[in-house]
Amino acid sequence: MTAPEYKLRTAHKQDNSLGFISKISTHDGWAFASGGTYGRTTMLASEDGGPFVKKATPDTSGLRHCLARENDLLVAGEFGMIARSVDQGSSWTVCGNKGARKGGCLYGIAEAFGALLVTGDGGMVHRSDDDGETWQEVRSGGGRLLGLHVRDGGREVLLYGDQLVRFDGRSFETLENPGRAPLCAMAELDGVLVLVGDSGQLFFSEDGTDWTSPRLEISADLESVDTVADGILAVGSGGTVLFSEDGRGWTQVDVGSNEHFWSLAPVGDGALVGGAHGAIHHLHVNYESWSPAASDWGDEEFD
């Protein structure tokens, strides 16, 4: 397998006042990047391929996830923060998640079963059936849940982190963990699930239960994985970029960087990659602009 000849171009330079970019979401020509910790709460935005600019942030010390939708932008983060913006991040309203705000960090947001689901520390899952106005705790216990992946036409959600859990909208089933904690990200390509984590963990599965690990001689922490135009990419520490055409066989791509890559989101023939101190890079095959026309972004199903 030969990987595309990816090149790396900086879309937003490092700024020591900013935190690491933990999530990038795109929708309708916009790209939003959230992150930060220890008071370096970070939100950046770009419209139609223009420069990334700093946006306002809700009152918390760091963000972990952002979900761009048709009419708003949702974020989740430290100290149980869930907030909504209806003006592309210029102002924020804290959602009514009093239960979560008592406790730990929130890591992932997704839409499933006609509801919003949020995962966090202590195995917690919060659910809102009124689009974020009110929330209820529907699961707790065990280690962190760092994210969630909606699959099978929305009939199943897989949650991952220090544990691996299946949710069918009514009950939770703890699955056998294929590796070691933590498991950091999950994506799906043509029915093949890919799960990545720290210390070079990478697994693939067709059913979310039986997992196989390809032979990869890497020890990097793999932080994010997502589908792109030619296949699927995974990124992590030490400038690590991995590519696969089918989710099963993988090859490492040298992009000439040793930066810690924390997140990625597909755009055009490549992806936007989030790094440290607010850095955002464009991983591309044929550079023209990192942003295609707004009509080409489509309506993504966010993980």
Side-chain angles (χ1 to χ4, degrees), residues 11 28-31 45-52 267 272 282 287-294 297:
D28 196 25
W30 283 86
S46 170
E47 184 179 12
D48 292 335
F52 279 89
V267 291
L272 293 176
H282 178 209
Y287 181 79
E288 291 182 1
S289 168
W290 65 257
S291 172
W297 291 65

Side-chain angles (χ1 to χ4, degrees), residues 23 65-67 108-110 148-150 160 186-188 225-226 301-303:
K23 180 66 178 179
H65 196 101
C66 58
L67 174 62
I109 313 172
L148 59 171
H149 175 75
V150 181
Y160 50 85
M186 184 183 292
E188 187 169 0
V225 61
D226 211 333
E301 181 178 336
F302 294 93
D303 294 339

Side-chain angles (χ1 to χ4, degrees):
M1 176 182 60
T2 302
E5 295 185 3
Y6 286 112
K7 293 179 172 55
L8 202 67
R9 185 182 179 101
T10 299
H12 186 266
K13 295 181 179 180
Q14 287 194 4
D15 179 339
N16 287 336
S17 70
L18 300 177
F20 74 103
I21 300 299
S22 60
K23 180 66 178 179
I24 302 174
S25 289
T26 61
H27 185 78
D28 196 25
W30 283 86
F32 299 96
S34 62
T37 190
Y38 301 117
R40 294 183 177 181
T41 313
T42 299
M43 173 60 65
L44 303 170
S46 170
E47 184 179 12
D48 292 335
F52 279 89
V53 297
K54 294 180 183 179
K55 306 295 285 189
T57 58
D59 185 18
T60 192
S61 56
L63 299 174
R64 292 294 174 273
H65 196 101
C66 58
L67 174 62
R69 306 192 298 174
E70 184 67 30
N71 297 310
D72 64 6
L73 175 66
L74 296 174
V75 294
E78 296 180 359
F79 299 103
M81 168 62 67
I82 303 174
R84 169 184 284 114
S85 175
V86 295
D87 53 13
Q88 292 78 42
S90 294
S91 62
W92 296 91
T93 300
V94 176
C95 297
N97 198 30
K98 295 180 180 179
R101 287 182 63 78
K102 296 177 182 178
C105 189
L106 300 179
Y107 297 102
I109 313 172
E111 295 177 295
F113 313 113
L116 285 169
L117 301 175
V118 177
T119 64
D121 283 335
M124 76 167 68
V125 180
H126 280 74
R127 175 172 179 158
S128 174
D129 292 300
D130 55 11
D131 204 36
E133 293 300 316
T134 60
W135 295 81
Q136 60 178 324
E137 184 180 291
V138 293
R139 185 187 188 275
S140 65
R144 297 172 299 169
L145 289 172
L146 296 176
L148 59 171
H149 175 75
V150 181
R151 70 183 311 255
D152 195 19
R155 291 185 289 273
E156 176 182 88
V157 176
L158 292 175
L159 306 98
Y160 50 85
D162 293 342
Q163 52 187 318
L164 186 62
V165 179
R166 177 181 283 121
F167 181 47
D168 64 5
R170 299 178 299 277
S171 61
F172 294 88
E173 175 189 6
T174 300
L175 305 175
E176 182 178 353
N177 190 325
R180 309 171 305 282
L183 301 169
C184 299
M186 184 183 292
E188 187 169 0
L189 176 65
D190 297 331
V192 177
L193 289 160
V194 176
L195 179 62
V196 302
D198 284 357
S199 302
Q201 294 182 93
L202 191 153
F203 308 95
F204 62 87
S205 172
E206 293 185 0
D207 59 9
T209 301
D210 296 318
W211 296 87
T212 300
S213 179
R215 293 183 178 180
L216 291 173
E217 295 182 0
I218 61 168
S219 59
D221 292 339
L222 299 178
E223 307 287 3
S224 187
V225 61
D226 211 333
T227 56
V228 292
D230 296 312
I232 189 165
L233 285 170
V235 299
S237 61
T240 299
V241 177
L242 302 176
F243 172 81
S244 175
E245 293 177 341
D246 58 9
R248 296 179 174 88
W250 292 79
T251 185
Q252 190 162 358
V253 181
D254 183 3
V255 296
S257 173
N258 61 2
E259 186 176 345
H260 196 129
F261 297 143
W262 290 97
S263 55
L264 80 156
V267 291
D269 62 8
L272 293 176
V273 178
H277 300 298
I280 301 174
H281 308 287
H282 178 209
L283 188 64
H284 64 91
V285 178
N286 298 300
Y287 181 79
E288 291 182 1
S289 168
W290 65 257
S291 172
S295 60
D296 292 336
W297 291 65
D299 294 328
E300 294 190 19
E301 181 178 336
F302 294 93
D303 294 339

